[in-house]
Amino acid sequence: VTAPMLIRGMCKYGNQFMLLNINNKLGVTGWRQLPVYSMERLENGVSNPYSSINNSSENSEDDMKTKFVWVGENNSQVPFRNWQIAHFRLLTDSLYLPYGMSYLHKARRHWRMLSLMEDMMLIYRLERSIERRVYKIYVGAIDDADVQSYVQEIANNFKRTPIIDPMTGQVDLRKNLLSVDQDIFIPVRDQNAPTPIDTLAAAQNLTAMDDIKFVQNKLFTALGIPKTFLNYEEGAGDGKNLALMDIRFTRKINRIQQAFLMELTKIATIHLYLLGFHDELT
């Protein structure tokens, strides 16, 4: 039952630490998940350069064994031996040894880019997809200094919204400031000016999504998962498994399965050893 959740965490973080519930007579009877970011692994007496553990190893035989440490609050440390912890890890990059690397690591940057671009696309559609009207107001021989106030007075008649005050019952004319969806008023001197009301077209390139598709393709490349698996394309293959159609995805699945089975083999070996099977444990 816990296998799908465990494999999901292993693919997400690259590591999954399980504390084994060990009984001297019954063997391995269960396990408990440990927090990924609080666990540190000491292998061959050497800790990783970013470790918070001060490992003062004297190169003794006991110090060279693989150990695990749970670093809690106030830098408290709880040590565990190798046979107490099942460390499921995806060994795909030697840079992070002795830890595994998440399969989402390479796609993190492109995912952030895609999220920002989708937000900007939504904002652009909300602001620029509304048609507006351009009103040309005849001002005749009005003095230049009075044109602005005259046009503003006419515009206010359009922009004011009558609201009834529930306390007094009187009509309150509240002003709405000009926003992206409101009309524009332009004074003109020519009384015979054609088309006094024009339409200011909205954004015309709302369907242009080539830049977003470009980032999506880079995201799919980093993940290494077919688009059909992520519901970005219609299903194909006449009902066949997609893992049989893409050899690269098949190899990725096999690597995850082998990483999972490798640690299950360690748990099975510990269980058989506690039950008295000391020979031919493999």
Side-chain angles (χ1 to χ4, degrees):
V1 178
T2 60
M5 294 183 290
L6 195 150
I7 295 177
R8 179 184 182 275
M10 183 176 61
C11 295
K12 179 180 179 181
Y13 299 106
N15 301 273
Q16 195 76 349
F17 298 92
M18 306 298 292
L19 175 61
L20 301 180
N21 185 14
I22 296 178
N23 186 285
N24 293 333
K25 296 181 179 180
L26 301 178
V28 180
T29 59
W31 56 19
R32 172 191 173 189
Q33 182 177 350
L34 297 177
V36 177
Y37 291 113
S38 300
M39 294 299 301
E40 297 192 10
R41 176 175 179 145
L42 304 178
E43 193 167 308
N44 297 328
V46 179
S47 60
N48 69 87
Y50 305 101
S51 175
S52 59
I53 302 176
N54 296 324
N55 186 32
S56 57
S57 174
E58 299 179 356
N59 294 329
S60 62
E61 182 179 354
D62 186 66
D63 291 332
M64 296 299 291
K65 296 180 180 179
T66 300
K67 302 177 181 178
F68 295 90
V69 177
W70 183 358
V71 182
E73 297 181 357
N74 300 325
N75 203 23
S76 61
Q77 300 179 4
V78 181
F80 296 98
R81 295 186 178 273
N82 186 20
W83 49 268
Q84 292 179 288
I85 300 294
H87 183 194
F88 295 87
R89 51 181 177 166
L90 296 175
L91 298 176
T92 57
D93 195 335
S94 60
L95 181 64
Y96 298 95
L97 290 177
Y99 302 99
M101 188 183 70
S102 170
Y103 272 121
L104 305 177
H105 180 71
K106 296 181 180 179
R108 291 174 60 191
R109 178 173 178 269
H110 301 101
W111 170 253
R112 289 195 297 265
M113 292 173 56
L114 181 61
S115 298
L116 291 174
M117 293 181 67
E118 289 178 347
D119 293 340
M120 291 303 298
M121 178 185 67
L122 180 60
I123 294 174
Y124 179 78
R125 289 175 180 271
L126 293 177
E127 289 188 353
R128 300 299 179 184
S129 61
I130 302 175
E131 290 186 352
R132 292 186 292 174
R133 301 292 183 269
V134 179
Y135 294 93
K136 297 180 180 179
I137 303 174
Y138 175 68
V139 296
I142 299 177
D143 189 73
D144 293 342
D146 299 331
V147 169
Q148 183 176 359
S149 60
Y150 177 72
V151 174
Q152 187 67 30
E153 181 180 359
I154 297 178
N156 287 338
N157 293 330
F158 285 94
K159 291 192 294 182
R160 284 180 181 176
T161 303
I163 299 177
I164 299 178
D165 191 349
M167 300 298 295
T168 62
Q170 297 179 355
V171 177
D172 183 12
L173 296 178
R174 298 183 181 181
K175 294 183 179 180
N176 295 327
L177 299 179
L178 184 65
S179 62
V180 295
D181 61 338
Q182 290 184 340
D183 301 324
I184 300 175
F185 299 87
I186 300 177
V188 294
R189 295 286 187 182
D190 188 5
Q191 186 177 7
N192 299 323
T195 61
I197 300 178
D198 295 334
T199 300
L200 186 63
Q204 303 295 324
N205 58 341
L206 296 179
T207 58
M209 300 176 60
D210 295 338
D211 51 349
I212 294 183
K213 292 181 180 179
F214 173 76
V215 179
Q216 280 183 351
N217 291 331
K218 294 180 70 67
L219 178 65
F220 297 144
T221 303
L223 291 176
I225 301 177
K227 293 183 179 180
T228 314
F229 258 50
L230 301 176
N231 295 329
Y232 280 87
E233 287 185 357
E234 296 182 358
D238 298 331
K240 297 180 181 178
N241 192 347
L242 286 177
L244 301 177
M245 301 174 57
D246 193 338
I247 187 62
R248 296 169 299 180
F249 185 61
T250 305
R251 292 173 179 173
K252 184 181 293 292
I253 297 299
N254 288 336
R255 285 193 294 266
I256 297 175
Q257 292 174 346
Q258 292 300 322
F260 182 65
L261 293 176
M262 179 177 64
E263 204 63 21
L264 286 184
T265 303
K266 171 187 172 181
I267 298 175
T269 302
I270 297 173
H271 180 72
L272 293 176
Y273 184 84
L274 293 173
L275 295 182
F277 296 90
H278 297 171
D279 299 330
E280 299 182 358
L281 288 177
T282 56

